[in-house]
Amino acid sequence: MRFYDFKGAPSPTKVRIVIAEKGVEIPTESVNLRELEQQQEAYRAKHPGATVPMLELDDGTRLTESLAIAAYLDETCPGPNVMGEDAKERALVLMWHDITALEGYLGVQELLRNSSEFFAGRALPGIVPYEQIPALAERGRKRIGVFLQKLDGQLATCEYLACARYTYADIAAYVTVGFAQRVLGEDPANGHEHVIRWRESIAARPAVIAATQ
Ligand SMILES: N[C@@H](CCC(=O)N[C@@H](CS)C(=O)NCC(=O)O)C(=O)O
């Protein structure tokens, strides 16, 4: 197997945390998004969609999309289960992953990619040259606030996001809150005591520390 990663980007960070939680070693190659290495021929020949993460299996299959990679690693690697032990847990993990991806992550992406000079003409990941729409940046900023409110409400009722134990839903939401903090330049968890309590417990996990340093 070979993992295509980039340390500064949120989507591969979720996979890096899963790998660390599982305690497995996977040969890893960094694709430098700051230098647009993902758009060069060598990487596009492997993944025409030109994004990271990607996991290349020994039979040549290439998995993209962090959720799919996490599900594959969870089933095939030893170590603690992160995608849910039974039908209800698995459904709750997918449910909170979807809420996080669609309501949280996309809000941060809207803000970043429609406001930063670096993403001019690249307002969406991939190879299609979408122009920026400044109004989407403002909408994204608002959506982050709405998402944090929802996260805090859920974490007021439950120690972890999807169920009583740590799962991939927590990994996805933790990375999204960190991404939001970086893009906003301020802590979106301010005033959300349950998010702050939860975030501290995730940040203290050895695998999270190892995967994000
Ligand atoms: N749905 C994908 C999203 C992948 C994605 O958007 N990756 C970003 C980094 S976080 C990327 O590769 N961007 C390259 C670009 O913008 O050209 C996943 O969850 O893995």
Side-chain angles (χ1 to χ4, degrees):
M1 270 196 295
R2 182 167 290 267
F3 173 49
Y4 293 82
D5 186 17
F6 182 61
K7 284 215 162 163
S11 302
T13 298
K14 292 182 284 180
V15 175
R16 218 178 312 116
I17 293 174
V18 172
I19 292 171
E21 293 288 358
K22 291 284 186 185
V24 291
E25 294 285 332
I26 300 178
T28 297
E29 203 168 300
S30 179
V31 180
N32 192 327
L33 301 189
R34 280 193 200 99
E35 292 175 7
L36 301 184
E37 200 183 335
Q38 77 277 20
Q39 300 210 345
Q40 288 169 14
E41 202 39 53
Y43 189 69
R44 281 178 62 176
K46 290 178 185 288
H47 176 21
T51 56
V52 287
M54 176 170 72
L55 186 70
E56 202 167 43
L57 307 186
D58 292 340
D59 70 359
T61 304
R62 295 187 180 116
L63 298 177
T64 63
E65 318 313 315
S66 43
L67 176 64
I69 297 171
Y72 178 82
L73 292 175
D74 197 38
E75 266 199 43
T76 57
C77 296
N81 168 282
V82 292
M83 297 303 295
E85 295 273 17
D86 58 25
K88 190 167 92 175
E89 270 194 14
R90 279 192 289 276
L92 287 166
V93 169
L94 291 178
M95 181 178 104
W96 279 102
H97 171 273
D98 234 30
I99 291 169
T100 296
L102 299 176
E103 300 178 26
Y105 180 84
L106 285 185
V108 190
Q109 181 176 282
E110 272 179 356
L111 170 57
L112 173 66
R113 297 194 73 125
N114 289 287
S115 60
S116 156
E117 184 65 28
F118 181 66
F119 291 107
R122 298 194 301 121
L124 286 171
I127 52 165
V128 180
Y130 289 105
E131 290 304 326
Q132 293 176 321
I133 302 174
L136 284 180
E138 278 325 297
R139 191 180 74 175
R141 186 185 299 278
K142 186 171 176 191
R143 293 179 72 197
I144 295 169
V146 174
F147 171 65
L148 263 288
Q149 194 77 42
K150 186 179 261 192
L151 203 56
D152 202 54
Q154 171 65 4
L155 291 168
T157 69
C158 201
E159 188 176 351
Y160 293 101
L161 194 51
C163 52
R165 65 186 187 86
Y166 169 78
T167 67
Y168 187 68
D170 298 292
I171 295 173
Y174 175 79
V175 169
T176 297
V177 172
F179 182 35
Q181 180 166 9
R182 183 151 59 86
V183 171
L184 288 167
E186 60 186 34
D187 188 357
N190 279 341
H192 298 300
E193 56 172 315
H194 306 290
V195 174
I196 291 171
R197 180 264 308 156
W198 162 86
R199 183 174 61 182
E200 276 172 9
S201 82
I202 310 281
R205 297 183 66 85
V208 173
I209 294 170
T212 55
Q213 67 196 357

